[in-house]
Amino acid sequence: KNKLQPLRMGICSSQPVLPLSQAVSQLIGSSKALSGGSFKIEHIKDAKDPRFPAVVEAIARSFAGTTDQGPDTTVGWIFDCSLEPGKELAAGPSEPRRKWFDWFAKFCVLFGLSRGGVFALTENDKVIGATVAILPGRSSDMSSCEMMGLFLKAGFPPGGDDTSNVCGSINARDEVTQKAMADLQKAHVPQDMQRLYIFNLGVLPEAQGKGAGSALLSWLAEVADAEGCPAWLETSGAQHEAFYSRKGGFVVKERKNVVAKAGPKDASDSTLTLIGMLRPKSG
């Protein structure tokens, strides 16, 4: 196994991206989870890959929400805490919502590329889903220098909707959420522990309900088993908790409330319950 090698940006310099392990490389072409079906896994190595825009789109549209599907409960709350978690949008995504989630997805995918952990789920050569995963031996820590480099590539966060600042700002909610995630990881999967960290996972709205998300999660479980390590993720909402538990074998390790402080005109604070989930090491 590769030893833990966090990115050390220093004077804004980075280490080369570690290659995939032999076990993970083999699973891209011969996965039991995907055998006999039309789904395939593709490793996205850099932003020059022609599938890069489709990967960003899959995550952005999956997380932004539609009139038939609610936004991702965690990121949706960061963007706009005035909406009922998991509830469908009353109208199609607004222009500010679309632009913000496009930015969010691009930032996440670029972050994953620097760690060699971006994978697309394709069907008939079309990207229908994607995941950013921090593979064993790689750090999820981000230095301020790396963050600035990602901002230069992805751009700075665009503004939100009229209701995005109802309970504090987007940045404030993001900060308290990131801290809560870090606390959960420190308690259950410290950085010196070999683990697969599922940073995010998304499937195009029109491809949902057809087994794509389950196939992508099953493939990630295969990766963890092949690497002989547990898998970790953070999520929120009963629907997501049930999906990861039922389809991936994840168990709840801790629930942690994240509070967005009310602004001067707000009636009360807004609270998100973040859920840390672990898939135990196989065997």
Side-chain angles (χ1 to χ4, degrees):
K1 299 290 189 302
N2 293 318
K3 292 182 179 179
L4 187 67
Q5 296 186 33
L7 294 183
R8 304 185 186 280
M9 297 303 293
I11 316 172
C12 288
S13 61
S14 61
Q15 294 181 351
V17 177
L18 294 172
L20 296 181
S21 68
Q22 183 177 0
V24 176
S25 295
Q26 289 177 343
L27 283 175
I28 291 177
S30 58
S31 165
K32 291 182 180 178
L34 305 180
S35 63
S38 57
F39 299 136
K40 292 183 180 179
I41 290 289
E42 307 283 353
H43 184 210
I44 309 301
K45 298 180 181 179
D46 56 52
K48 295 179 182 179
D49 190 303
R51 296 162 295 191
F52 174 81
V55 166
V56 171
E57 179 187 359
I59 292 176
R61 291 183 56 209
S62 171
F63 278 54
T66 67
T67 54
D68 297 317
Q69 163 204 306
D72 175 80
T73 46
T74 304
V75 184
W77 180 80
I78 291 173
F79 179 78
D80 184 355
C81 62
S82 70
L83 297 179
E84 179 183 340
K87 185 175 178 58
E88 301 86 353
L89 301 180
S94 66
E95 187 69 5
R97 171 178 286 270
R98 186 188 62 77
K99 287 183 176 180
W100 190 89
F101 278 88
D102 283 348
W103 168 83
F104 162 81
K106 186 175 182 180
F107 188 94
C108 290
V109 174
L110 288 169
F111 170 80
L113 287 177
S114 67
R115 288 150 177 80
V118 178
F119 302 92
L121 182 73
T122 65
E123 185 175 34
N124 300 322
D125 296 324
K126 178 186 177 182
V127 174
I128 60 170
T131 184
V132 175
I134 313 301
L135 299 168
R138 308 175 193 213
S139 174
S140 58
D141 284 348
M142 184 190 307
S143 70
S144 57
C145 197
E146 181 189 7
M147 182 180 294
M148 182 56 65
L150 291 175
F151 281 141
L152 291 175
K153 293 178 180 178
F156 287 88
D161 280 332
D162 293 339
T163 55
S164 290
N165 295 317
V166 167
C167 41
S169 67
I170 293 177
N171 286 344
R173 289 192 295 278
D174 181 57
E175 286 180 7
V176 293
T177 303
Q178 294 297 333
K179 185 182 183 305
M181 288 179 173
D183 290 343
L184 287 170
Q185 291 173 42
K186 184 177 180 180
H188 303 287
V189 283
Q191 283 286 353
D192 60 352
M193 177 182 182
Q194 292 286 330
R195 85 289 178 257
L196 171 70
Y197 176 24
I198 302 177
F199 192 69
N200 57 33
L201 180 157
V203 173
L204 288 171
E206 61 267 26
Q208 293 182 16
K210 302 174 184 177
S214 297
L216 194 50
L217 186 61
S218 295
W219 182 80
L220 288 166
E222 276 192 290
V223 169
D225 290 345
E227 294 282 22
C229 68
W232 171 263
L233 57 84
E234 299 101 11
T235 190
S236 61
Q239 184 177 359
H240 288 137
E241 178 185 336
F243 170 73
Y244 288 116
S245 175
R246 186 173 62 251
K247 299 294 185 179
F250 284 80
V251 295
V252 175
K253 298 300 292 184
E254 186 179 347
R255 302 179 194 275
K256 191 176 186 66
N257 285 340
V258 183
V259 180
K261 292 297 181 181
K265 299 179 181 179
D266 303 334
S268 61
D269 296 343
S270 176
T271 302
L272 170 77
T273 300
L274 201 61
I275 308 168
M277 303 187 74
L278 184 76
R279 181 181 184 273
K281 178 180 175 180
S282 179

